[in-house]
Amino acid sequence: MLAPDDDVVAWGLSLDHLLECKTGQLVFEDFLRTEYSEENLLFWLACEDYKKITREKDMTVAAKRIYKEFVQVDAPRQINIDCVVREEISENISGPGPNCFDGAQRLIYGLMENDCYPRFLKSEIYQALLEQQ
């Protein structure tokens, strides 16, 4: 299942190590799905992709997609952010810049790092992969 260069042990060192690895992202997403919170990772990844967009028109399209999918109230994969951050994004969505989602992304990263990630490290999914090393 895992490629030889996937260092499962390194995933346990930090959330950053886990997110830097494509396989790590997929395994973490599978875990989050069992907790009904995969929207956090999917939003974080969407923001990472968004930051790489250079054309203004493409940025606007991507920002609206992220907003509709994750940020707006009743979004299909609504993330758990406070109303101040949600309102800030709403105001910026008509002319989004490269940092449009930074505040929300930091909040979600913190949520994953302090809440989901520690549970992931204790999960059967991760423990089973560690045993295969």
Side-chain angles (χ1 to χ4, degrees):
M1 178 182 145
L2 296 175
D5 59 346
D6 290 327
D7 189 357
V8 174
V9 175
W11 299 353
L13 301 176
S14 72
L15 179 58
D16 286 334
H17 279 87
L18 177 65
L19 296 177
E20 286 167 5
C21 174
K22 192 69 178 160
T23 306
Q25 291 173 10
L26 293 170
V27 173
F28 191 46
E29 183 182 346
D30 282 346
F31 167 74
L32 291 174
R33 195 171 292 117
T34 67
E35 297 202 329
Y36 305 99
S37 62
E38 72 270 16
E39 71 278 354
N40 293 321
L41 176 62
L42 296 174
F43 171 75
W44 188 86
L45 291 170
C47 290
E48 289 298 290
D49 288 342
Y50 175 78
K51 291 178 191 175
K52 297 173 190 163
I53 299 171
T54 53
R55 290 184 50 218
E56 196 173 314
K57 184 179 180 190
D58 295 340
M59 195 176 283
T60 301
V61 169
K64 286 181 179 169
R65 183 187 58 77
I66 292 170
Y67 180 78
K68 283 181 181 160
E69 187 173 351
F70 299 104
V71 178
Q72 75 181 19
V73 177
D74 297 330
R77 292 182 170 160
Q78 185 178 340
I79 53 171
N80 186 9
I81 54 175
D82 59 64
C83 59
V84 174
V85 174
R86 194 177 312 278
E87 186 59 36
E88 199 174 277
I89 294 170
S90 298
E91 289 170 10
N92 295 332
I93 205 72
S94 57
N99 304 320
C100 180
F101 298 103
D102 284 3
Q105 189 181 20
R106 273 192 302 276
L107 285 171
I108 293 302
Y109 183 91
L111 185 69
M112 289 192 299
E113 185 176 45
N114 298 317
D115 189 38
C116 308
Y117 177 66
R119 284 199 307 277
F120 169 74
L121 296 179
K122 295 174 186 164
S123 72
E124 288 179 21
I125 294 171
Y126 182 63
Q127 293 300 316
L129 291 173
L130 270 180
E131 288 172 19
Q132 294 173 16
Q133 291 292 291

Short mmCIF file of all heavy atoms in Angstrom, two decimals, residues 9 11 18 21 30 35 39 51 53 56 69 77 87-88 94 97 109 121 125 130 132-133:
data_model
loop_
_atom_site.label_atom_id
_atom_site.label_comp_id
_atom_site.label_asym_id
_atom_site.label_seq_id
_atom_site.Cartn_x
_atom_site.Cartn_y
_atom_site.Cartn_z
N VAL A 9 6.74 6.83 10.14
CA VAL A 9 7.23 7.26 11.45
C VAL A 9 7.30 8.79 11.51
O VAL A 9 6.93 9.41 12.51
CB VAL A 9 8.62 6.65 11.74
CG1 VAL A 9 9.20 7.19 13.05
CG2 VAL A 9 8.52 5.12 11.79
N TRP A 11 5.44 10.90 10.08
CA TRP A 11 4.11 11.47 10.22
C TRP A 11 3.79 11.72 11.69
O TRP A 11 3.03 12.63 12.02
CB TRP A 11 3.04 10.55 9.65
CG TRP A 11 3.16 10.25 8.19
CD1 TRP A 11 4.03 10.82 7.30
CD2 TRP A 11 2.41 9.29 7.47
NE1 TRP A 11 3.84 10.26 6.06
CE2 TRP A 11 2.86 9.32 6.13
CE3 TRP A 11 1.40 8.40 7.82
CZ2 TRP A 11 2.32 8.50 5.14
CZ3 TRP A 11 0.87 7.58 6.84
CH2 TRP A 11 1.32 7.64 5.50
N LEU A 18 3.22 15.08 8.16
CA LEU A 18 2.11 14.31 7.62
C LEU A 18 1.56 14.97 6.35
O LEU A 18 1.35 14.32 5.33
CB LEU A 18 1.02 14.17 8.67
CG LEU A 18 -0.27 13.46 8.26
CD1 LEU A 18 0.01 12.00 7.94
CD2 LEU A 18 -1.31 13.56 9.36
N CYS A 21 3.38 14.90 2.81
CA CYS A 21 3.40 13.63 2.09
C CYS A 21 2.02 13.35 1.50
O CYS A 21 1.02 13.36 2.21
CB CYS A 21 3.81 12.53 3.07
SG CYS A 21 3.70 10.88 2.39
N ASP A 30 -8.68 9.68 5.22
CA ASP A 30 -9.47 8.49 5.55
C ASP A 30 -9.84 8.48 7.03
O ASP A 30 -10.97 8.17 7.40
CB ASP A 30 -8.70 7.20 5.22
CG ASP A 30 -8.71 6.88 3.73
OD1 ASP A 30 -9.51 7.49 2.99
OD2 ASP A 30 -7.90 6.04 3.31
N GLU A 35 -14.33 10.35 11.40
CA GLU A 35 -14.77 11.31 12.42
C GLU A 35 -15.70 12.38 11.85
O GLU A 35 -16.03 13.34 12.53
CB GLU A 35 -13.55 12.00 13.03
CG GLU A 35 -12.61 11.07 13.74
CD GLU A 35 -11.76 11.81 14.74
OE1 GLU A 35 -11.43 12.99 14.54
OE2 GLU A 35 -11.41 11.18 15.76
N GLU A 39 -13.64 17.66 5.99
CA GLU A 39 -13.72 19.00 5.37
C GLU A 39 -12.56 19.88 5.84
O GLU A 39 -12.11 20.76 5.09
CB GLU A 39 -15.06 19.67 5.67
CG GLU A 39 -15.28 20.12 7.10
CD GLU A 39 -15.74 19.02 8.04
OE1 GLU A 39 -16.01 17.89 7.58
OE2 GLU A 39 -15.80 19.29 9.25
N LYS A 51 -3.27 29.32 -3.12
CA LYS A 51 -2.12 30.22 -2.98
C LYS A 51 -1.17 30.15 -4.18
O LYS A 51 -0.38 31.06 -4.40
CB LYS A 51 -1.33 29.89 -1.71
CG LYS A 51 -2.06 30.23 -0.44
CD LYS A 51 -1.21 29.81 0.74
CE LYS A 51 -1.97 29.87 2.03
NZ LYS A 51 -1.17 29.35 3.14
N ILE A 53 -2.15 29.99 -7.32
CA ILE A 53 -2.79 30.59 -8.49
C ILE A 53 -2.24 32.01 -8.70
O ILE A 53 -2.15 32.78 -7.76
CB ILE A 53 -4.32 30.64 -8.32
CG1 ILE A 53 -4.88 29.22 -8.17
CG2 ILE A 53 -4.98 31.36 -9.50
CD1 ILE A 53 -6.34 29.17 -7.78
N GLU A 56 -5.47 36.49 -11.90
CA GLU A 56 -6.54 37.06 -11.09
C GLU A 56 -7.89 36.40 -11.38
O GLU A 56 -8.65 36.10 -10.46
CB GLU A 56 -6.62 38.57 -11.36
CG GLU A 56 -7.42 39.31 -10.31
CD GLU A 56 -7.35 40.82 -10.50
OE1 GLU A 56 -6.25 41.35 -10.72
OE2 GLU A 56 -8.41 41.44 -10.43
N GLU A 69 -18.08 25.88 -1.23
CA GLU A 69 -17.93 24.51 -0.74
C GLU A 69 -17.67 24.44 0.77
O GLU A 69 -18.14 23.52 1.44
CB GLU A 69 -16.80 23.79 -1.48
CG GLU A 69 -16.72 22.32 -1.14
CD GLU A 69 -15.73 21.55 -2.00
OE1 GLU A 69 -15.20 22.11 -2.98
OE2 GLU A 69 -15.48 20.39 -1.67
N ARG A 77 -19.63 21.31 2.76
CA ARG A 77 -18.53 20.86 3.63
C ARG A 77 -18.12 22.01 4.56
O ARG A 77 -16.95 22.32 4.69
CB ARG A 77 -17.34 20.43 2.79
CG ARG A 77 -17.61 19.17 2.00
CD ARG A 77 -16.39 18.76 1.22
NE ARG A 77 -16.59 17.45 0.66
CZ ARG A 77 -15.89 16.97 -0.35
NH1 ARG A 77 -14.94 17.70 -0.90
NH2 ARG A 77 -16.11 15.77 -0.81
N GLU A 87 -17.29 36.30 8.00
CA GLU A 87 -17.72 37.59 7.46
C GLU A 87 -16.59 38.28 6.70
O GLU A 87 -16.81 38.87 5.64
CB GLU A 87 -18.24 38.49 8.60
CG GLU A 87 -18.85 39.79 8.14
CD GLU A 87 -20.03 39.60 7.20
OE1 GLU A 87 -20.81 38.65 7.38
OE2 GLU A 87 -20.18 40.42 6.26
N GLU A 88 -15.39 38.18 7.24
CA GLU A 88 -14.21 38.76 6.59
C GLU A 88 -14.02 38.17 5.18
O GLU A 88 -13.79 38.89 4.22
CB GLU A 88 -12.99 38.45 7.46
CG GLU A 88 -11.78 39.31 7.22
CD GLU A 88 -10.71 38.98 8.25
OE1 GLU A 88 -10.78 39.51 9.37
OE2 GLU A 88 -9.82 38.18 7.91
N SER A 94 -15.49 39.08 -3.46
CA SER A 94 -15.71 39.71 -4.76
C SER A 94 -14.40 40.13 -5.43
O SER A 94 -14.31 40.16 -6.65
CB SER A 94 -16.64 40.91 -4.62
OG SER A 94 -16.09 41.82 -3.69
N GLY A 97 -7.76 38.22 -2.84
CA GLY A 97 -6.32 38.25 -3.02
C GLY A 97 -5.73 36.91 -2.63
O GLY A 97 -6.45 36.01 -2.20
N TYR A 109 -6.01 24.75 10.58
CA TYR A 109 -4.75 24.05 10.85
C TYR A 109 -4.62 23.81 12.36
O TYR A 109 -4.29 22.71 12.81
CB TYR A 109 -3.55 24.85 10.33
CG TYR A 109 -2.24 24.13 10.54
CD1 TYR A 109 -1.73 23.29 9.56
CD2 TYR A 109 -1.53 24.28 11.73
CE1 TYR A 109 -0.53 22.63 9.76
CE2 TYR A 109 -0.33 23.61 11.92
CZ TYR A 109 0.17 22.79 10.94
OH TYR A 109 1.35 22.12 11.14
N LEU A 121 -2.89 9.97 15.62
CA LEU A 121 -1.70 9.24 16.06
C LEU A 121 -2.06 8.03 16.92
O LEU A 121 -1.33 7.03 16.94
CB LEU A 121 -0.76 10.16 16.84
CG LEU A 121 -0.16 11.32 16.05
CD1 LEU A 121 0.74 12.17 16.94
CD2 LEU A 121 0.60 10.83 14.82
N ILE A 125 -5.81 3.06 12.41
CA ILE A 125 -5.29 3.26 11.05
C ILE A 125 -3.79 3.54 11.11
O ILE A 125 -2.99 2.88 10.45
CB ILE A 125 -6.02 4.44 10.34
CG1 ILE A 125 -7.48 4.10 10.08
CG2 ILE A 125 -5.31 4.83 9.04
CD1 ILE A 125 -8.32 5.27 9.57
N LEU A 130 2.20 1.86 11.32
CA LEU A 130 3.47 1.88 12.05
C LEU A 130 4.02 0.47 12.22
O LEU A 130 5.23 0.25 12.09
CB LEU A 130 3.28 2.50 13.44
CG LEU A 130 3.45 3.99 13.57
CD1 LEU A 130 3.22 4.41 15.02
CD2 LEU A 130 4.79 4.47 13.09
N GLN A 132 3.72 -1.95 10.28
CA GLN A 132 4.22 -2.47 9.00
C GLN A 132 5.61 -1.96 8.65
O GLN A 132 6.24 -2.43 7.73
CB GLN A 132 3.26 -2.11 7.85
CG GLN A 132 1.91 -2.76 7.96
CD GLN A 132 0.95 -2.24 6.90
OE1 GLN A 132 1.34 -1.63 5.93
NE2 GLN A 132 -0.34 -2.48 7.12
N GLN A 133 6.10 -0.98 9.39
CA GLN A 133 7.41 -0.37 9.10
C GLN A 133 8.53 -1.32 9.40
O GLN A 133 8.58 -2.01 10.35
CB GLN A 133 7.60 0.93 9.90
CG GLN A 133 6.68 2.02 9.41
CD GLN A 133 7.02 2.52 8.02
OE1 GLN A 133 8.03 3.15 7.79
NE2 GLN A 133 6.16 2.23 7.06
#
